[in-house]
Amino acid sequence: MNIFRKTAVIIAAVTVVLGACGAKRQDGSVLRTAERTETLAVFIPGTASGSPIYEMLVSGVKRAAGEYPGVSVQFIEGGYNQAEWEGKLTALAASGKYDLIVSSNPSLPALAQSVSLKFPEQRFLLLDGELSGVPNIYTLRYNQREQAYMAGYLAALLIDEAGGGRIGLIAGQEYPAMTQTILPGYSEGAAAVNSGIAVDFRVVGNWYDAAKCAELAAGMINEGDRVLLCIAGGANEGAVQAAAESPSSGARIIWFDTNGYAVRPPYIAGSCVIFQDKAAYNTTKLFLEGTLPFGTAELVGVRDGYVDFIEDDPLYTAAVSAGVREKQHEMLERLRSGSLILGEKP
Ligand code: RBF
């Protein structure tokens, strides 16, 4: 090895070792993990408890920040009055206290962009939303066509096994990701099994009212819905209660975002998950290491390890017949291997 190659190898090795210790300062020197002193705000658009997607946001950021002794995180619940969110975000930015505001919601990118007009230095890390080209905002969202397709496929398999019935989807509210991606993905998954199955779509009107959701779900079950996909945050428990109160109907719930089998066995027949805890952890760490690509919008799905269906839970095995599980597994393997490709928009 000549002297130039040797020097290059040594420089590369030193860079790798230093790089592993922490991020670079603007002058090129390296900031070690123990020296990081950022203050982060996690803005929860609603309340954390009961909403799987927000619980994962909180745990992921907590875990990342916990690896840096000097980094502090404040968790702020925005509440359910969506008209107040922009004002609350503006106050956080105006305080000048936070190096980064982390949040999760499809409506957040537009609000953050509006806040940025007054506070262009404020940086945002936004999950479950999309906006590219704004230099202080980074977004990451999930392929929810895949996530919803898995739910629809299972729902239709269960209907076929039961000898008929409708499938339902209960949403907290109507929003573009729901009407343009999740609902069509759910219908598409069901149609792949049986094109004759009708999808009954209903809206609670908020993300917390379990009593209203229970009433809605009971009505749907009475009218012949046998499988309900519930995406209504804290209101979901109402649908679970309605299914549990009508055991003779055979009604089953499909859980979205996290593993929900243990919520009420054996009424939860499927869990179509996004790994938002992992996304929140990884992206917060990238920020703390100085390498989060602000200005970009990422989309992650099954093949990236961020969307999947939980098959290895004994509660799933107990709740669903081997025949249905086998067919669901065969579809999941096609998605995981890439032989079935579902782009984000159906
Ligand atoms: N999902 C929840 O689980 N809880 C919520 O409080 C909640 N609030 C939302 C508010 C708005 C304005 C929008 C557009 C979506 C909300 N979602 C909520 C849905 C969430 O972003 C996501 O689509 C679902 O969790 C499915 O992954």
Side-chain angles (χ1 to χ4, degrees), residues 51 53-54 82 105-106 128 144 173 175 207 231 233 256-257:
S51 287
I53 196 160
Y54 296 154
Q82 295 169 12
N105 191 289
D128 185 31
Q144 296 201 300
Q173 71 183 88
Y175 52 104
W207 298 92
I231 307 175
F256 216 59
D257 295 343

Side-chain angles (χ1 to χ4, degrees), residues 165-302:
R166 281 190 322 200
I167 66 173
L169 196 173
I170 301 180
Q173 71 183 88
E174 254 184 292
Y175 52 104
M178 176 56 64
T179 53
Q180 293 166 22
T181 306
I182 299 175
L183 176 58
Y186 184 57
S187 306
E188 184 188 19
V193 173
N194 179 342
S195 58
I197 292 176
V199 179
D200 183 16
F201 176 61
R202 312 276 183 107
V203 175
V204 178
N206 62 58
W207 298 92
Y208 54 84
D209 192 343
K212 188 162 176 213
C213 186
E215 203 179 298
L216 201 60
M220 293 165 84
I221 292 169
N222 270 339
E223 288 172 35
D225 290 8
R226 288 289 162 269
V227 184
L228 302 177
L229 170 63
C230 297
I231 307 175
N236 285 340
E237 69 180 71
V240 175
Q241 186 194 324
E245 281 172 5
S246 170
S248 60
S249 70
R252 290 281 183 275
I253 304 294
I254 297 181
W255 205 252
F256 216 59
D257 295 343
T258 49
N259 181 342
Y261 296 114
V263 170
R264 188 90 186 228
Y267 294 97
I268 314 297
S271 294
C272 310
V273 300
I274 50 176
F275 296 106
Q276 162 131 309
D277 41 359
K278 178 168 84 174
Y281 172 78
N282 286 340
T283 52
T284 301
K285 279 202 76 161
L286 287 180
F287 170 74
L288 292 170
E289 284 158 17
T291 53
L292 187 69
F294 285 102
T296 66
E298 289 195 59
L299 171 67
V300 292
V302 171

Side-chain angles (χ1 to χ4, degrees), residues 44-61:
I44 298 140
T47 62
S49 163
S51 287
I53 196 160
Y54 296 154
E55 287 170 355
M56 289 191 284
L57 169 73
V58 168
S59 74
V61 178

